[in-house]
Amino acid sequence: MRKIAWNTKGVDGVAILPSFSNWLQGQDFDEVVLRVQGGTISQKAFNADWKDSDLDAWVSLVEKNANIKLVYVVNLNQLPADESILWNRMKESGLVFDWIEMGNEQYLRKFTDSLDKVEVTDRTKDMTPQKYLSLCSEYAGIFGGVPTVLQLAPSKGRASVDVGFDAWNEEVLSRTNDNPNVHYCMHIYPNGGTRWDHITEIQERIGDKPLLITEFGGYDVEFEGGAPPSYEEFVEASEAVAIILKQLLRDQDIPFSQVLWNDFERDEASDFKDGELTAKGKMIVSVFAAESEPEIEVPEVAVLESYLTNYDRTF
């Protein structure tokens, strides 16, 4: 199956949807999975930010491309009553979602240590895995029987980070993995280290459930202290990650490239611009649409040293 998946910017990415739709109709993918809306913006966008015309644009994309599946990301900063209003608007518009992802990277230090960020509110500060699961339970009943996707933290291969991430994962998995309607997601950025065996361990723990890698890339998109990579280096690093994921993931797992499009001043990450794939986008499609898996040795821990890691993406 030729399957491809992208992280998207929901409201902010509406302008590119017509050209993306036109391009997509010329492709032969069996399945295209889009995360709406992905990244930090998902925890800063509320019902009022979604105009009816935005919903219409997404409906038009899906109607013209029957092979699209959608992941909806819940804003845990939005009260359940308002989240329900937005969900009902989406349903009434004609949008159908295959997964409901609860929040975005709430295991990061900005949430656990209550840093001064727009996306960190009274609802999401002082975050713990217990608080995360409690917040998720507040939305129970809104989304019907659509499978829920809960966040798992990556393993960086460094005890200083992993002790907290491992505790998060154990709490989430031990309390929810027996529910067949609960699936899981993870984000993979190897800067600062990634323990690849961790993916296999999670797969074994969750069995036949899909593991959604709802964001992956070669590098984080912020740079602190070190020189940022050139575009060519960024694409090369992203390709290395894509090839490893291609080998490690099972048929039911889904890797979402970061990102379909964004408007950052420094923009290495976009896969689609000006009506066509970028060089990075072409690489992503080539890796995941290939007829055979490329051969590559999967390292136990990969570390990209081009700059310091801050674990605080603003994508």
Side-chain angles (χ1 to χ4, degrees), residues 126-141:
D126 301 320
M127 187 59 66
T128 64
Q130 293 82 5
K131 180 176 180 178
Y132 171 68
L133 291 174
S134 178
L135 273 177
C136 293
S137 70
E138 294 182 12
Y139 300 87

Side-chain angles (χ1 to χ4, degrees), residues 5-14 33-45 50 58 70-75 90 97 99 101-106 110 119 151 185 187 189 213-216 221 256-264 313-315:
W6 276 290
N7 205 9
T8 78
K9 301 202 78 171
V11 171
D12 290 352
V14 163
V33 190
L34 303 177
R35 185 184 185 223
V36 184
Q37 55 190 347
T40 302
I41 190 176
S42 69
Q43 305 305 290
K44 298 189 289 188
W50 280 89
W58 277 97
L70 299 176
V71 178
Y72 175 69
V73 183
V74 174
N75 180 1
M90 289 184 166
F97 290 85
W99 290 276
E101 184 178 346
M102 303 304 295
N104 181 75
E105 298 181 337
Q106 262 74 30
K110 61 182 175 181
E119 63 271 21
Q151 301 168 44
C185 68
H187 293 175
Y189 295 96
I213 307 297
T214 49
E215 289 183 28
F216 80 84
V221 296
F256 293 69
S257 177
Q258 181 236 31
V259 56
L260 182 63
W261 172 90
N262 69 38
D263 56 355
F264 288 175
R313 290 183 290 281
T314 57
F315 163 69

Side-chain angles (χ1 to χ4, degrees), residues 10-236:
V11 171
D12 290 352
V14 163
I16 66 120
L17 294 184
S19 61
F20 178 62
S21 179
N22 290 337
W23 173 81
L24 202 55
Q25 290 170 60
Q27 311 305 311
D28 61 349
F29 299 117
D30 297 300
E31 188 173 287
V32 178
V33 190
L34 303 177
R35 185 184 185 223
V36 184
Q37 55 190 347
T40 302
I41 190 176
S42 69
Q43 305 305 290
K44 298 189 289 188
F46 295 81
N47 175 48
D49 296 308
W50 280 89
K51 302 186 296 292
D52 289 343
S53 58
D54 297 332
L55 296 175
D56 291 342
W58 277 97
V59 170
S60 177
L61 172 68
V62 173
E63 287 180 343
K64 293 176 181 178
N65 299 275
N67 55 348
I68 287 180
K69 291 186 174 181
L70 299 176
V71 178
Y72 175 69
V73 183
V74 174
N75 180 1
L76 296 179
N77 290 314
Q78 181 159 248
L79 292 172
D82 293 322
E83 193 70 37
S84 180
I85 292 172
L86 176 55
W87 175 251
N88 286 327
R89 289 179 59 208
M90 289 184 166
K91 284 201 306 182
E92 291 168 2
S93 74
L95 289 175
V96 176
F97 290 85
D98 293 89
W99 290 276
I100 305 298
E101 184 178 346
M102 303 304 295
N104 181 75
E105 298 181 337
Q106 262 74 30
Y107 50 80
L108 288 181
R109 188 172 67 87
K110 61 182 175 181
F111 294 108
T112 60
D113 292 358
S114 306
L115 301 186
D116 185 17
K117 298 278 188 179
V118 174
E119 63 271 21
V120 181
T121 69
D122 285 343
R123 287 183 59 79
T124 53
K125 69 181 183 180
D126 301 320
M127 187 59 66
T128 64
Q130 293 82 5
K131 180 176 180 178
Y132 171 68
L133 291 174
S134 178
L135 273 177
C136 293
S137 70
E138 294 182 12
Y139 300 87
I142 293 177
F143 307 108
V146 182
T148 296
V149 179
L150 299 180
Q151 301 168 44
L152 297 179
S155 179
K156 305 304 289 185
R158 295 188 292 125
S160 60
V161 176
D162 289 343
V163 62
F165 283 3
D166 289 347
W168 176 284
N169 291 345
E170 182 57 34
E171 182 73 11
V172 171
L173 286 167
S174 64
R175 291 178 55 184
T176 64
N177 195 27
D178 61 346
N179 186 337
N181 209 43
V182 172
H183 301 167
Y184 301 97
C185 68
M186 187 184 298
H187 293 175
I188 300 296
Y189 295 96
N191 52 284
T194 285
R195 187 171 67 84
W196 295 104
D197 287 350
H198 181 241
I199 293 177
T200 303
E201 292 165 7
I202 294 297
Q203 290 169 328
E204 292 174 352
R205 182 82 178 265
I206 66 176
D208 292 335
K209 294 180 178 182
L211 176 62
L212 279 61
I213 307 297
T214 49
E215 289 183 28
F216 80 84
Y219 297 89
D220 194 318
V221 296
E222 286 191 2
F223 306 96
E224 287 187 355
S230 67
Y231 181 73
E232 290 74 17
E233 290 170 332
F234 192 97
V235 173
E236 182 179 352

